[in-house]
Amino acid sequence: QVREYILATLRGYGLEPEVQEATGLIAARDGEEGVAARVRNVVARIPGTAPTGRVIFVAHYDAAQVSYGANDDGAGVSTLLETARALKAGPAPRNDLVFLFTDAEEAGMIGAEAFVNLHPLAGDRAVVLNVEARGSSGPAVMFETSEGNADLIDVFAGVPHPVGSSIAVEIYRLLSNDTDFTPFLAHDRFTGLNSAYIDGSFTYHTPLDRPGSMNKGSLQHHGDNTLALAKAFGRTDLGPLMRPA
């Protein structure tokens, strides 16, 4: 039902979304078992007028089994949908903009892995922006980037409400969680930014993760920054922001 809602909404904006049906595989690592699953990612593209590269926006539409998924990652899904709507209502971007709604993130980022390794739109260099939540409130923190991130940070600094800290990624690395950004970072052709709000973590992966628990200011923060980044990356020369071919 969620997938059909996303597809119908994107079509209502005048886009032509597709469903990528594939088998994703996360290999065993650090003593853990590997995992595989049949996934269905939703992919939509706003073509650029004179592309210098591609920008991929990512959010996952699945939720933990015990959760309603309003924040994790309904916040990311709604942010991407509203960003796509706003962009379609304005002038066409210079660069290709791809909106990726992944399946099976909670099972091990399997949908993202399938996109990265099997979808044609992931075959070239690109800038990736992942939108997440690990709680229900607080600022949307840009907590992780790819290496060689100076030019990316310069763009991020121009959003309406930039929040980030170099210590955030060190805390993230101590946690047991990964995000859909991880499969992208495993390949040199991708650079990008990873953002999430993390306050109110008592709702994370619990039945409390309902729409009523979401701080609307946190959602707005995601939306303001993501739309600003979409416009900025959509019009700039992406060459300096991506790793050399």
Side-chain angles (χ1 to χ4, degrees):
Q1 289 178 331
V2 173
R3 182 169 60 253
E4 290 304 319
Y5 175 84
I6 294 170
L7 288 165
T9 301
L10 292 169
R11 291 177 183 133
Y13 299 159
L15 296 172
E16 298 179 357
E18 62 166 299
V19 176
Q20 179 200 14
E21 292 198 39
T23 299
L25 172 65
I26 301 296
R29 62 174 186 174
D30 300 329
E32 297 180 356
E33 293 182 349
V35 60
R38 191 70 177 172
V39 297
R40 295 172 178 83
N41 297 322
V42 177
V43 185
R45 181 173 72 98
I46 299 178
T49 56
T52 64
R54 183 172 294 144
V55 186
I56 303 173
F57 300 86
V58 186
H60 66 91
Y61 72 88
D62 66 311
Q65 289 183 339
V66 298
S67 171
Y68 292 92
N71 292 281
D72 179 21
D73 192 22
V77 169
S78 56
T79 294
L80 264 59
L81 287 175
E82 175 62 5
T83 299
R85 184 205 64 78
L87 291 172
K88 280 293 290 180
R94 175 186 183 184
N95 298 311
D96 285 349
L97 304 180
V98 175
F99 295 86
L100 169 62
F101 302 84
T102 63
D103 192 5
E105 190 269 355
E106 300 292 0
M109 298 79 64
I110 305 175
E113 190 277 339
F115 179 83
V116 165
N117 289 292
L118 299 174
H119 199 283
L121 290 176
D124 302 320
R125 296 183 302 152
V127 175
V128 179
L129 303 176
N130 190 53
V131 184
E132 263 283 8
R134 198 187 186 279
S136 60
S137 60
V141 180
M142 194 284 292
F143 65 92
E144 184 183 24
T145 76
S146 52
E147 295 181 0
N149 57 25
D151 290 328
L152 290 168
I153 297 300
D154 286 342
V155 177
F156 177 74
V159 302
H161 316 291
V163 177
S165 168
S166 59
I167 197 174
V169 71
E170 301 302 332
I171 297 173
Y172 172 61
R173 288 167 179 162
L174 294 174
L175 301 175
S176 60
N177 312 95
D178 281 311
T179 69
D180 276 338
F181 198 54
T182 302
F184 285 93
L185 287 186
H187 299 269
D188 289 341
R189 64 185 181 275
F190 298 113
T191 60
L193 307 171
N194 199 2
S195 298
Y197 56 81
I198 60 175
D199 292 355
S201 59
F202 62 89
T203 64
Y204 178 64
H205 285 185
T206 75
L208 297 175
D209 191 2
R210 298 170 177 259
S213 73
M214 178 188 290
N215 183 292
K216 301 305 189 296
S218 299
L219 179 62
Q220 187 69 52
H221 194 184
H222 257 332
D224 287 347
N225 285 357
T226 302
L227 179 58
L229 287 172
K231 291 179 177 179
F233 286 123
R235 63 175 176 259
T236 192
D237 180 1
L238 294 178
L241 304 176
M242 298 187 294
R243 289 176 178 165

